[in-house]
Amino acid sequence: MTTRLREQAEHSFSGGESALIGVLGDRLVSVLRSHNTPSTLYYVCADGETYVVKVEFGRAPTLRDEIRWYRDVARRGLPRSLFITGHAGPGLSFLLLKRFGDGSTVDDLALAGESAGQVGRHAASALDDDIELFHRTERHVGQDHVHQLTERRLAVRRSQAREFPYLRTLMDADVVTMNGAGLPGVSRCLNRLLGDPRLVSYLTPYRVGMTFGDLHCGNILVHEGSTEVVDPRGGHLLPITYDYGKLVQSVEGGYGAIMAGRYVLRRTGKAAYEFAVEAVPGYAGLAALLAARCDERSYLQSLFQAALHFVAMLPHHASAQEETTALFLCGVSLFDKLLALLA
C-alpha cells in the first residue's frame, strides 16, 4: 500500500488544496494547520495504516528544506523509516510520512509528569542518532565560516522581527526588567558578545556536519519506547552545538511549557514584566544528558545557540504577541546567564 500511495501522491498532488482533498477523498482522517508556519498536516487512512501528508502552498521554502534533508541522509546511508516521498513544486509542495504512534512528543510526556529518567532516555536516543549523523558527515571548516553562518541567520531574523512594531520595541530595549531585576536587552547582549573577538572565537566551533537542525523536545516523537525526530532542517552544515542548543532551549528556556501556555506574564511598565515559566521536573533528565555530553566550552556554545534560537524564532510566532513576548524574555534570561558564566 505504501508504494501505491507514494505513486498516487507523486502524480496527483499538484492542483491546489481542493484538488488535494479530492485525491485523498474518504481516506482523509483529519486536518491540522500549524500555528507558526504555512504548512498543513493531513492525516490519511489507507488499508488500516495512517499516514501524514505535510503540505505547503506557494514556494514553501521550509518544506523544500525538509525534503532535501530526508534525501540527503538517505544518500549517506542513514535513511529515516518514516519518510516515503516528497515533492517540491511551484504552487504546492508535500511530504508523505508514515505516522508514528499518536504524535506524542518528549515535551508532551515531560509536561504530563513523566520521570526525569524516562524523559532523559527518550531524548538520549534522538540525540545519539543526531550525533551519529553529525560524525558521519563532519568536516573542518574554520571558525570564520561558522561565525558567518550565525551572523547571516541572525541578520535575516532580526530584519524580519523589525517588521513588527512591538518586536522592534522589544529588540531595541537597552534594559529589560524581569521580576524586578534589570537585565541587558538582546541588542546590548549581542553587541557585547559579537563585538569581542575573543568571545566570538570561544563561542564558535570550527567543525560542522549534518544535524537534524531543530532537535527541541517538541520535535522528538515517542512511541512504545522508540523515538523519531520530525521537522528536520536541510541546508547548511551546522555545528553539533546548534542542536545541543535546541535541547538547552527546551531544558533551560522552557520552550515546551511556553508552547503549552504554561507560563505567567504581566507587563508592569515600559520593558518591565513579571514573568515565570512553569517548572517541569522531567527536564532534569535532559539537563543530566547534556552535562554528560558537553564539556564547559561546548555547554557555553550550546547556551549561546539556545539564546540565539529564541531571538531567531520571534518572527515566526509574531502573530501571537503574548507568546512571542514570553519567548523573547526567555532569550533575555539565557543571554544574561551566558554573560554571567563568561565573566
Side-chain angles (χ1 to χ4, degrees):
M1 182 59 213
T2 297
T3 300
R4 294 209 312 274
L5 189 61
R6 180 180 63 243
E7 291 173 349
Q8 187 174 34
E10 290 172 344
H11 287 93
S12 302
F13 293 177
S14 58
E17 185 165 15
S18 60
L20 174 63
I21 293 176
V23 169
L24 299 177
D26 58 7
R27 293 177 300 184
L28 183 63
V29 177
S30 62
V31 178
L32 174 67
R33 297 183 183 277
S34 173
H35 72 289
N36 65 352
T37 67
S39 61
T40 304
L41 297 180
Y42 295 84
Y43 294 101
V44 183
C45 186
D47 288 358
E49 296 290 336
T50 304
Y51 300 86
V52 178
V53 184
K54 186 173 183 180
V55 179
E56 287 183 359
F57 300 96
R59 295 189 176 275
T62 300
L63 201 48
R64 287 172 184 267
D65 284 348
E66 287 187 37
I67 294 167
R68 183 189 308 121
W69 186 90
Y70 279 111
R71 289 176 174 162
D72 283 349
V73 296
R75 280 196 292 269
R76 288 169 167 81
L78 291 168
R80 310 307 297 176
S81 61
L82 299 186
F83 177 67
I84 299 174
T85 190
H87 172 73
L92 178 149
S93 298
F94 74 88
L95 182 65
L96 180 60
L97 303 168
K98 297 176 185 177
R99 190 174 182 185
F100 185 73
D102 63 359
S104 294
T105 68
V106 169
D107 268 337
D108 294 330
L109 299 177
L111 292 167
E114 184 149 317
S115 70
Q118 281 290 90
V119 171
R121 281 190 285 274
H122 297 322
S125 175
L127 182 57
D128 288 344
D129 281 349
D130 201 23
I131 292 171
E132 180 182 2
L133 174 62
F134 178 80
H135 286 317
R136 286 206 188 186
T137 57
E138 187 178 4
R139 66 179 67 169
H140 183 290
V141 293
Q143 290 184 315
D144 287 347
H145 174 81
V146 176
H147 181 56
Q148 287 169 12
L149 288 178
T150 299
E151 284 201 317
R152 281 201 297 269
R153 174 173 176 258
L154 183 59
V156 169
R157 297 301 176 82
R158 291 178 80 181
S159 176
Q160 292 171 342
R162 298 190 72 80
E163 295 176 9
F164 300 87
Y166 84 91
L167 277 182
R168 187 163 60 246
T169 299
L170 289 176
M171 295 291 288
D172 287 346
D174 188 58
V175 175
V176 177
T177 301
M178 199 182 318
N179 303 325
L183 307 179
V186 166
S187 293
R188 185 172 162 191
C189 291
L190 288 171
N191 290 338
R192 169 74 180 92
L193 293 166
L194 300 180
D196 186 332
R198 294 173 302 169
L199 291 180
V200 169
S201 177
Y202 188 74
L203 294 172
T204 305
Y206 56 86
R207 303 193 72 84
V208 297
M210 283 195 70
T211 68
F212 289 127
D214 201 9
L215 195 67
H216 65 75
C217 293
N219 280 344
I220 304 173
L221 303 182
V222 181
H223 178 60
E224 296 180 348
S226 298
T227 61
E228 289 282 354
V229 177
V230 292
D231 293 347
R233 294 289 179 260
H236 295 294
L237 299 179
L238 297 167
I240 192 64
T241 49
Y242 184 95
D243 267 1
Y244 284 170
K246 286 289 182 176
L247 290 177
V248 173
Q249 178 185 343
S250 292
V251 177
E252 300 188 37
Y255 178 66
I258 291 175
M259 291 298 97
R262 292 164 70 162
Y263 63 93
V264 176
L265 172 63
R266 187 170 72 88
R267 184 170 180 175
T268 57
K270 184 178 180 180
Y273 305 87
E274 289 180 357
F275 176 60
V277 180
E278 181 178 322
V280 181
Y283 288 144
L286 297 177
L289 169 67
L290 289 168
R293 298 292 199 283
C294 295
D295 57 22
E296 181 182 9
R297 184 175 182 182
S298 294
Y299 170 71
L300 291 174
Q301 290 176 351
S302 303
L303 182 60
F304 179 47
Q305 289 296 328
L308 290 176
H309 291 328
F310 275 110
V311 174
M313 72 173 59
L314 298 180
H316 293 304
H317 295 255
S319 61
Q321 184 168 339
E322 184 175 273
E323 178 183 277
T324 305
T325 302
L327 294 172
F328 166 80
L329 293 174
C330 286
V332 169
S333 295
L334 292 186
F335 273 124
D336 182 64
K337 179 177 181 178
L338 175 64
L339 288 172
L341 291 172
L342 287 170

